[in-house]
Amino acid sequence: MNKLTGILFLSNLLVVYNLKAQLQPESPTAIPVGHDTLQPAKALKAVEVRSVSAGSLQQSTRAITVIDAKKYYNRPVTTLALINQSPGVRIRQEGGLGSRADLSINGLSGRQVKYFINGIPADFLGAGNRLNIFPVNAIDHIEVYKGVVPIELGSDALGGAINIVTRQQLSNYTDASYSIGSFNTHKATVNTYRNTGSRFFLQAGGFINYSDNNYSITADVPDRLGNPVSQKVKRFHDRYRDYQLNAEAGIQQSRWADWFSVNASYYGMDKDVQHNLVMTEPYGAVTRNERTWNAGIRYMKQQLLPRLTLSFYGNAGIVKEHFLDTSYNAYTWDGKVYERRIAYGEIASSRTDLLFTTHNLVGRLQLDYAADSTNKFSFSFTGTYFTRKGKDTIAENYFGKDFYGHTVQMQKNTAGLAWQRRCSPRFISTTSVKYYWYHANGFTIDNLVFNEASRSKQQFGVSEALKFELNRHWLLKASYEYATRLPDEMEVFGDFSLVKANPSIQPEISHNLNLMARYTRSALSAGINGFIRLTDNIIFLQASPRSSQYRNLLKALTAGIEAEASYQFTPSLSLWANGTFQHIVNRSKKENTGNIDDRYFNRRLPNKPFLFANSELQWTRRNLFRRQHTLQCWYGVSYVNWFYLYWSNDGRRDTKAIIPTQVVQQAGLSYALRNNRVALSVEAHNLANAKVYDNYNVQLPGRAYTLKARIFIDQ
């Protein structure tokens, strides 16, 4: 696999690019992931790979928001920031660049929301495909599914999904960018595509990110007498670095395949761990690193048989992770050693030098059959296999046993069948049935006692989505899904360090209902969506200073409404805004929770945002100073209302812990030359330097500046 990665990457370096005198606009296209448009069944004389446009997806039966990433190639914006602009979506991070991020869609969050890269579950592609580091310039568009997840994504998402569709531009180009920002942050990205003039193509890319993440926080630091004193200090052990190389080579528009390719990638990550999940203990020597190798194959053929389209994707991956906690030192928030222990590490009592290896396999088969101009049938099957084994010589010497040398395994299969029918020129219905199955083998360690554990589970799901075009301006949608989410490897087996295993954890189930209306005119677009989620066996992370664990919370009810609007005042000036209100309450009775009474029944769940909004004003002036020169300026605001960290009916009103109201402003400008082929931009984030919190009161970076340069070459 290493040889394949090297050969493909070195082959790309031999490609010679010549700049043309005449400039042509970019024309990115993408391999289709799936859409609702029904076409008459007829033989195709020529096959052309086309993108599924944002417009066609927005017009589908699904509750979906589509973000066109191409509009942001010149900006120093992150993928998480783009997704966070969507109505009903809220992202909460644990720190700066490379930190964990929790995303919620209409009240459902964490692993209830699934992530995909070109329709493939990102969980099985390694950390290099996480949303918190995935470069915007490598993306064509982002699909945000709410409530009902289409069968072609082939996963057990409970309340929504994010699908990243990468650039599949079928014309020769090279796109490179570099940005530098506060806290010694550097990001570089390059993507390139080469068609030899025949049916053979080669595309490659890569990125590298680095940050010291040494932003200021307010923390208690012991004085000379050992008394805690609140001080403003810089994070001292939060350095992050990662990089990725990827390449894909294949043929297109041949007699036996419209698209056939092999791909390979390599990813590396090194990260300092600054503190525990609840930010009560600083660490000064704990580190994590990861190395990931992936190799895959893609195949697509329209009219494989009359009216039948087949697509297949398979991927094999190896992940090697290293977790190091060997220091005897105890640190304070100013980076000084407070004491040196005789035993114990900063996290684990045994200290830890843990290396574990993960093998992943994932395959997806999609069949689409157009029975006639009004009926289309689709079948999807996704199978995944996960196995992991660790080695920790320090812990083995301490306990006298190598607990981590035992293998953990998990297998998941997801199948779906959908029937889409056009009942009238204005009315479309999509009915789906899903089947989920998983089996897990692993272990737990309780009071230094090793216990084998295994679990199997199967579940069915159904969904119905309706779309009605009232007239040329009004679009109405309704959708329902009985959804299931199976526990994943982190929830079942933990991470061998900060999160303990829980093999007895149960799948989550949910009834999801959406009612949407959208109004569109030439300058105005507006939409409103009401949603209800009744979720049972909710899996949540019970955080603690030393070792956390995923558990089931049984039942919750979510009801809410989201609205969005955009208006083009002039050809140069535009404004968009959206807002979300969601009421998430506990529906578990005392006999199911272990509480002595029902004091938490029908109470709003703590540590969950319930009111938030986003807006942005943008001014664009084309042909400024010279032809094909463009100046763009923007100003945006993000608002999150305060919410309780713990149950609202516990404790005194004046001493209850809250996550305070967040108001984050950002502004920037970009100047592009030669029809967006050369661009320079700058952005200021958190203009007012507000103190911002998300998860468990963990402080986020304050005011930060980023400068980005981009060059695009086509030929």
Side-chain angles (χ1 to χ4, degrees):
M1 195 176 300
N2 290 329
K3 291 182 178 179
L4 178 60
T5 306
I7 291 172
L8 292 177
F9 184 70
L10 290 175
S11 299
N12 181 67
L13 295 180
L14 297 176
V15 178
V16 179
Y17 291 93
N18 297 314
L19 288 172
K20 282 187 176 181
Q22 68 181 54
L23 301 173
Q24 298 177 355
E26 299 180 48
S27 57
T29 57
I31 294 177
V33 175
H35 55 88
D36 287 338
T37 304
L38 288 173
Q39 300 293 342
K42 60 182 180 180
L44 299 178
K45 295 182 179 180
V47 176
E48 183 178 1
V49 180
R50 293 185 177 273
S51 66
V52 181
S53 68
S56 65
L57 285 170
Q58 295 277 28
Q59 295 296 315
S60 69
T61 59
R62 301 154 186 163
I64 182 175
T65 298
V66 181
I67 304 167
D68 186 0
K70 297 185 291 295
K71 298 178 180 179
Y72 299 89
Y73 285 170
N74 291 341
R75 289 199 194 183
V77 66
T78 65
T79 300
L80 281 180
L82 284 189
I83 297 174
N84 203 36
Q85 295 176 358
S86 303
V89 175
R90 185 63 197 166
I91 293 176
R92 304 167 68 187
Q93 284 191 266
E94 296 179 1
L97 180 66
S99 64
R100 294 183 183 180
D102 178 54
L103 184 149
S104 69
I105 300 179
N106 295 155
L108 298 182
S109 60
R111 288 168 169 79
Q112 296 169 337
V113 177
K114 292 291 186 177
Y115 310 103
F116 302 84
I117 308 295
N118 295 321
I120 304 302
D123 295 345
F124 296 88
L125 300 178
N129 294 281
R130 293 180 302 175
L131 298 180
N132 57 347
I133 53 95
F134 204 94
V136 171
N137 287 54
I139 301 172
D140 182 81
H141 66 271
I142 304 171
E143 302 164 2
V144 183
Y145 294 92
K146 304 173 182 180
V148 177
V149 178
I151 66 163
E152 56 262 30
L153 291 183
S155 186
D156 53 337
L158 190 73
I162 305 290
N163 184 35
I164 302 291
V165 179
T166 59
R167 295 173 69 167
Q168 303 287 344
Q169 190 165 319
L170 304 185
S171 60
N172 293 337
Y173 80 97
T174 299
D175 193 343
S177 66
Y178 172 76
S179 66
I180 181 171
S182 300
F183 321 121
N184 195 26
T185 301
H186 303 262
K187 300 179 182 180
T189 304
V190 62
N191 295 283
T192 185
Y193 175 89
R194 180 68 175 177
N195 192 311
T196 62
S198 60
R199 295 172 178 172
F200 178 79
F201 69 89
L202 175 67
Q203 57 186 14
F207 63 81
I208 182 169
N209 301 307
Y210 176 88
S211 181
D212 287 338
N213 284 323
N214 57 344
Y215 57 90
S216 297
I217 60 173
T218 301
D220 289 337
V221 178
D223 61 14
R224 292 180 180 180
L225 300 177
N227 299 315
V229 178
S230 181
Q231 296 183 21
K232 190 173 184 179
V233 296
K234 288 187 175 182
R235 293 167 72 100
F236 63 93
H237 184 65
D238 203 15
R239 182 182 64 90
Y240 178 83
R241 180 185 65 182
D242 72 346
Y243 50 91
Q244 178 170 284
L245 300 173
N246 58 80
E248 185 172 16
I251 61 173
Q252 53 182 316
Q253 299 184 12
S254 72
R255 296 181 61 183
W256 58 277
D258 299 329
W259 183 283
F260 174 79
S261 65
V262 294
N263 60 77
S265 67
Y266 172 76
Y267 172 76
M269 180 269 285
D270 300 286
K271 176 175 173 54
D272 294 339
V273 180
Q274 175 68 96
H275 53 72
N276 57 0
L277 291 177
V278 292
M279 199 175 169
T280 56
E281 292 186 40
Y283 303 143
V286 180
T287 60
R288 281 183 179 275
N289 66 60
E290 177 180 321
R291 303 292 181 265
T292 302
W293 296 264
N294 276 305
I297 184 173
R298 274 202 291 178
Y299 175 81
M300 185 184 72
K301 177 62 178 175
Q302 299 182 37
Q303 300 297 311
L304 180 69
L305 296 174
R307 304 177 181 177
L308 181 67
T309 297
L310 179 147
S311 62
F312 172 80
Y313 181 88
N315 185 85
I318 299 176
V319 182
K320 291 186 177 294
E321 298 180 70
H322 186 204
F323 181 79
L324 188 67
D325 172 25
T326 57
S327 174
Y328 291 112
N329 295 331
Y331 292 84
T332 54
W333 286 106
D334 57 357
K336 297 178 181 179
V337 177
Y338 180 68
E339 65 176 351
R340 183 170 175 82
R341 306 180 182 99
I342 299 176
Y344 301 103
E346 295 187 78
I347 299 177
S349 59
S350 65
R351 299 189 301 141
T352 297
D353 185 6
L354 175 61
L355 175 67
F356 57 88
T357 302
T358 300
H359 292 84
N360 289 317
L361 292 173
V362 57
R364 185 195 68 194
L365 174 68
Q366 174 83 20
L367 297 172
D368 295 297
Y369 178 73
D372 51 43
S373 60
T374 60
N375 290 277
K376 172 185 171 183
F377 297 90
S378 299
F379 171 78
S380 176
F381 177 83
T382 301
T384 61
Y385 178 76
F386 163 93
T387 179
R388 187 172 70 188
K389 187 175 182 180
K391 181 68 175 177
D392 189 339
T393 55
I394 293 180
E396 182 179 0
N397 293 333
Y398 182 86
F399 294 116
K401 297 179 182 179
D402 183 12
F403 293 118
Y404 303 122
H406 296 271
T407 300
V408 296
Q409 297 176 333
M410 175 175 284
Q411 182 178 353
K412 286 186 180 182
N413 294 328
T414 303
L417 182 64
W419 173 30
Q420 183 182 312
R421 57 202 180 277
R422 182 178 290 277
C423 305
S424 72
R426 294 185 177 182
F427 184 63
I428 295 179
S429 169
T430 302
T431 305
S432 303
V433 178
K434 296 180 181 179
Y435 171 76
Y436 314 96
W437 174 88
Y438 92 106
H439 177 77
N441 288 316
F443 63 88
T444 62
I445 302 174
D446 301 308
N447 298 320
L448 301 184
V449 177
F450 174 86
N451 298 299
E452 292 186 354
S454 65
R455 180 165 294 275
S456 296
K457 189 72 175 181
Q458 62 179 347
Q459 193 81 21
F460 287 91
V462 296
S463 68
E464 178 67 39
L466 307 172
K467 183 190 77 169
F468 181 69
E469 298 178 19
L470 190 62
N471 53 45
R472 56 181 298 202
H473 300 300
W474 281 99
L475 176 65
L476 306 179
K477 295 184 183 182
S479 59
Y480 164 81
E481 181 171 22
Y482 175 65
T484 294
R485 188 186 74 84
L486 307 175
D488 64 14
E489 63 276 5
M490 174 66 78
E491 294 163 332
V492 176
F493 303 128
D495 63 358
F496 291 169
S497 54
L498 297 177
V499 181
K500 293 193 304 183
N502 185 5
S504 63
I505 201 164
Q506 295 292 318
E508 299 175 305
I509 59 173
S510 184
H511 298 272
N512 301 332
L513 177 65
N514 288 282
L515 297 173
M516 300 183 65
R518 175 165 290 277
Y519 178 78
T520 306
R521 296 192 75 90
S522 57
L524 173 66
S525 177
I528 188 169
N529 175 38
F531 53 90
I532 296 176
R533 310 280 187 264
L534 180 59
T535 311
D536 207 353
N537 283 342
I538 294 176
I539 298 173
F540 74 107
L541 180 63
Q542 185 176 26
S544 67
R546 280 285 171 177
S547 186
S548 304
Q549 187 180 51
Y550 285 96
R551 296 185 178 182
N552 294 105
L553 178 66
L554 299 182
K555 185 179 291 187
L557 174 66
T558 301
I561 190 169
E562 62 184 41
E564 61 175 327
S566 62
Y567 189 76
Q568 192 78 34
F569 295 97
T570 69
S572 299
L573 186 64
S574 63
L575 173 70
W576 63 260
N578 60 61
T580 303
F581 173 80
Q582 55 192 28
H583 188 55
I584 311 172
V585 297
N586 171 41
R587 297 293 295 174
S588 300
K589 303 290 286 186
K590 63 180 181 180
E591 54 268 22
N592 296 325
T593 62
N595 294 324
I596 60 175
D597 55 31
D598 282 329
R599 60 191 313 238
Y600 300 131
F601 184 74
N602 265 348
R603 288 285 179 175
R604 179 177 288 158
L605 291 187
N607 199 30
K608 294 277 189 182
F610 64 90
L611 178 63
F612 48 91
N614 304 279
S615 66
E616 183 179 279
L617 181 67
Q618 179 178 292
W619 181 77
T620 303
R621 180 66 182 272
R622 294 178 173 83
N623 299 319
L624 182 68
F625 304 130
R626 295 187 60 183
R627 189 173 177 270
Q628 295 184 342
H629 286 212
T630 302
L631 175 66
Q632 186 179 88
C633 306
W634 62 90
Y635 169 78
V637 179
S638 175
Y639 169 84
V640 182
N641 195 74
W642 69 269
F643 52 94
Y644 287 113
L645 183 60
Y646 305 109
W647 292 102
S648 61
N649 55 337
D650 281 347
R652 293 173 47 187
R653 178 180 295 272
D654 57 345
T655 60
K656 292 179 183 179
I658 65 169
I659 303 294
T661 295
Q662 320 283 307
V663 179
V664 179
Q665 306 171 68
Q666 62 183 27
L669 62 87
S670 70
Y671 192 81
L673 313 176
R674 303 173 68 182
N675 201 16
N676 277 330
R677 280 160 180 78
V678 179
L680 186 67
S681 59
V682 62
E683 182 175 81
H685 182 73
N686 195 355
L687 284 171
N689 198 30
K691 188 178 290 186
V692 184
Y693 304 86
D694 268 348
N695 293 334
Y696 306 113
N697 229 20
V698 175
Q699 298 173 42
L700 300 180
R703 185 187 297 114
Y705 300 94
T706 306
L707 177 68
K708 177 179 179 179
R710 179 197 177 213
I711 182 170
F712 178 85
I713 302 170
D714 61 349
Q715 54 182 29

